[in-house]
Amino acid sequence: MSVKVEHLTSQSEELWTVRFGVRRVQFRSERCAKDFATKLKERIEAPHSYPRRASTGTGWPIT
């Protein structure tokens, strides 16, 4: 998934947006936006394991 930090120009204030997928989160400082984007990338790229269930209810275990 792509994570991008963008600067938004506004007449009243400076805003920064972090885009990931179709979602956007706005910040009032570049530092906060970049920190969020960095942590988000770390979490997305971290190894994940699927939860294991003992049974599907049919008597066949999922491994």
Side-chain angles (χ1 to χ4, degrees), residues 47-58:
H48 295 81
S49 62
Y50 291 101
R52 300 178 96 198
R53 291 199 288 178
S55 173
T56 63
T58 61

Side-chain angles (χ1 to χ4, degrees), residues 3-19:
V3 177
K4 296 181 181 181
V5 177
E6 299 175 338
H7 180 244
L8 302 177
T9 53
S10 169
Q11 294 177 345
S12 59
E13 64 182 326
E14 283 194 43
L15 293 174
W16 297 84
T17 296
V18 177
R19 288 190 340 164

Side-chain angles (χ1 to χ4, degrees), residues 15-57:
L15 293 174
W16 297 84
T17 296
V18 177
R19 288 190 340 164
F20 50 103
V22 296
R23 293 186 168 78
R24 295 176 185 209
V25 179
Q26 290 186 348
F27 296 87
R28 292 189 175 161
S29 77
E30 180 181 13
R31 179 78 270 147
C32 288
K34 287 184 175 182
D35 289 347
F36 178 81
T38 299
K39 181 59 84 174
L40 182 61
K41 285 180 188 179
E42 288 173 1
R43 291 181 176 177
I44 290 170
E45 295 170 358
H48 295 81
S49 62
Y50 291 101
R52 300 178 96 198
R53 291 199 288 178
S55 173
T56 63

